[in-house]
Amino acid sequence: MNSTSFMTRWQQESLPLVAILRGITPAQASEAAEILLSCGFHWLEVPLNSPEPLKSIRLMRETVAGRGFVGAGTVLTVEQVLQVTDAGGQLIISPNCDPRVIRQSVECGLVSLPGVMTPSEAFSAIAAGASALKLFPAEHVTPAIAKAFRSVIPQEVACLPVGGIQPDVVQMRSYIRAGANGFGLGGGLYQAGMSMALLRERAQAYQHAWLECVE
């Protein structure tokens, strides 16, 4: 999915947030997917440094079916892209910008969201065919820096801050005003071993915060 196609699809999202489920196990995968779908989340990421991540991706993809997108995070190699593809993944999300990983993701027909923290990385990712850009870590890519990025990055390329994003209307709104198109949510949404009831509570908190931001 090229950046223009991704942006068109992304702008149709009522909740343009990626749920990052680092540490999730296959035993929780299907239930977590159903909870997140019920809270409006349609983009689900299982980082590859989770227990049996490919199994969780398969289970979540079966659960989500045509209702959303499931894929892998912390993808660092071409070989991992191929493994995720075989598991039915639709997203390849990385903490870094590796053009080889991006190109392989594109070749496999997957959504590619590489991590970038400098303009040089951003334009390298765009040139390799990235679907969108993950501004990571957001603790360092402040709203002021995100605004500077947005002034030079083509408008058809979505920018999603990831790292330290809380269900905080003030924080979210500051990034949105700087030009962010949504967010990736990690530890503030899910932590390994947490109950599914708490996941629902946190997912609803992010849902409400986003809706308040865009009112």
Side-chain angles (χ1 to χ4, degrees):
M1 187 182 294
N2 65 29
S3 58
T4 301
S5 298
F6 179 87
M7 180 66 93
T8 299
R9 174 67 180 79
W10 194 249
Q11 289 176 328
Q12 296 170 1
E13 283 291 341
S14 58
L15 194 67
L17 307 175
V18 178
I20 303 169
L21 305 171
R22 189 177 308 279
I24 197 162
T25 65
Q28 288 186 317
S30 295
E31 185 178 1
E34 285 289 4
I35 287 170
L36 290 165
L37 286 167
S38 73
C39 295
F41 287 79
H42 299 121
W43 299 79
L44 313 181
E45 171 196 333
V46 178
L48 290 184
N49 55 1
S50 303
E52 299 183 89
L54 298 176
K55 185 174 180 180
S56 291
I57 289 169
R58 289 190 188 95
L59 291 168
M60 293 176 74
R61 178 70 193 279
E62 291 171 3
T63 300
V64 171
R67 296 180 291 169
F69 295 80
V70 177
T74 319
V75 180
L76 304 176
T77 68
V78 166
E79 291 74 21
Q80 289 174 334
V81 174
L82 298 175
Q83 291 170 353
V84 173
T85 303
D86 289 343
Q90 300 156 291
L91 313 174
I92 296 294
I93 304 176
S94 301
N96 62 330
C97 174
D98 185 333
R100 297 169 301 173
V101 169
I102 297 168
R103 286 193 292 268
Q104 186 63 61
S105 302
V106 172
E107 185 176 326
C108 291
L110 309 184
V111 173
S112 170
L113 279 77
V116 303
M117 203 173 71
T118 68
S120 294
E121 290 177 338
F123 282 102
S124 177
I126 292 168
S131 306
L133 301 177
K134 167 184 172 179
L135 304 185
F136 178 79
E139 291 92 340
H140 293 290
V141 185
T142 64
I145 293 173
K147 183 177 181 180
F149 265 86
R150 191 76 273 182
S151 70
V152 294
I153 292 171
Q155 289 302 305
E156 67 271 16
V157 179
C159 292
L160 311 178
V162 179
I165 304 301
Q166 301 298 317
D168 178 335
V169 174
V170 173
Q171 183 197 35
M172 287 179 142
R173 191 173 281 155
S174 67
Y175 275 106
I176 293 167
R177 288 174 175 167
N181 304 101
F183 302 96
L185 311 174
L189 175 66
Y190 177 84
Q191 293 179 343
M194 70 186 289
S195 71
M196 292 295 95
L198 183 55
L199 173 62
R200 184 183 298 276
E201 180 182 321
R202 290 186 176 185
Q204 290 173 338
Y206 277 105
Q207 180 185 37
H208 295 155
W210 175 264
L211 293 176
E212 187 175 343
C213 281
V214 297
E215 282 182 351

